[in-house]
Amino acid sequence: MFFYIGFIFSLTLFVINPNSLRFTIVLLYTLQILLLKISSQPRNWGYIYNSLNHKRIPGAFVRLFERESGRQVNVQISDAQGRFGFNNTKGNFELSIDKPGYSFPAREENPTDMSTTATGQKRLKVYTQRGKIIYYDIPLDPSGKTRQTGPFGL
């Protein structure tokens, strides 16, 4: 917001009393605005959501580990819309998600994509290419709640 206020203020001063310094400042503001518009691409986001009602879950800890070493390389907290995304180098990684009141992995998670650490922690296996954003939609089961199903699993 302050950026645009500065631009409007500089533009107003340039219109009232033009000189080369004010022209240069307005030109730099204009170039910054153009570069921001050109370079801004929509961001891909992963989402953490409740497996029962599909509502997004804010405040979940999403941790990124190197698969081979098991070393944590990044951590994020899902935002108010339950979004997260990691921008990393090429490699094999694993994700773990922690949120009080929820359990990971959800029962609907594909067990072939999961690994288990020596301490019994479950992690989701992921692979990324250089410069690509790691983003997945990950369900969590509310703790103590089970999915209600009727006859024939419906």
Side-chain angles (χ1 to χ4, degrees):
M1 176 160 168
F2 291 114
F3 176 81
Y4 294 110
I5 292 171
F7 175 68
I8 292 169
F9 183 72
S10 298
L11 187 61
T12 304
L13 288 177
F14 177 72
V15 170
I16 293 171
N17 185 12
N19 66 31
S20 60
L21 177 64
R22 290 187 179 132
F23 174 76
T24 304
I25 292 171
V26 170
L27 182 64
L28 288 174
Y29 269 114
T30 305
L31 288 174
Q32 285 180 343
I33 291 170
L34 290 174
L35 286 174
L36 286 173
K37 296 293 180 188
I38 291 171
S39 67
S40 66
Q41 298 174 354
R43 167 103 188 229
N44 291 322
W45 294 101
Y47 296 98
I48 308 297
Y49 66 94
N50 184 317
S51 65
L52 297 180
N53 60 19
H54 296 280
K55 290 184 179 177
R56 294 182 184 165
I57 301 171
F61 285 88
V62 184
R63 291 179 172 85
L64 183 69
F65 297 89
E66 288 180 342
R67 191 175 304 165
E68 289 181 22
S69 68
R71 183 176 67 93
Q72 180 176 315
V73 293
N74 204 339
V75 64
Q76 290 186 3
I77 299 175
S78 60
D79 68 5
Q81 290 84 38
R83 300 180 301 190
F84 76 95
F86 295 103
N87 192 8
N88 281 293
T89 59
K90 180 179 179 180
N92 293 311
F93 297 96
E94 295 175 336
L95 291 175
S96 74
I97 294 86
D98 296 308
K99 172 70 177 173
Y102 291 89
S103 62
F104 172 78
R107 282 190 255 183
E108 67 183 52
E109 196 69 35
N110 185 351
T112 60
D113 292 340
M114 301 299 293
S115 67
T116 305
T117 66
T119 60
Q121 182 186 33
K122 300 283 187 181
R123 293 183 182 165
L124 177 65
K125 296 178 188 176
V126 297
Y127 175 79
T128 184
Q129 297 177 1
R130 185 179 226 20
K132 297 291 182 181
I133 295 174
I134 297 174
Y135 62 97
Y136 289 85
D137 294 342
I138 302 173
L140 300 181
D141 287 335
S143 297
K145 300 208 176 176
T146 58
R147 196 178 297 260
Q148 296 180 351
T149 58
F152 309 109
L154 302 174

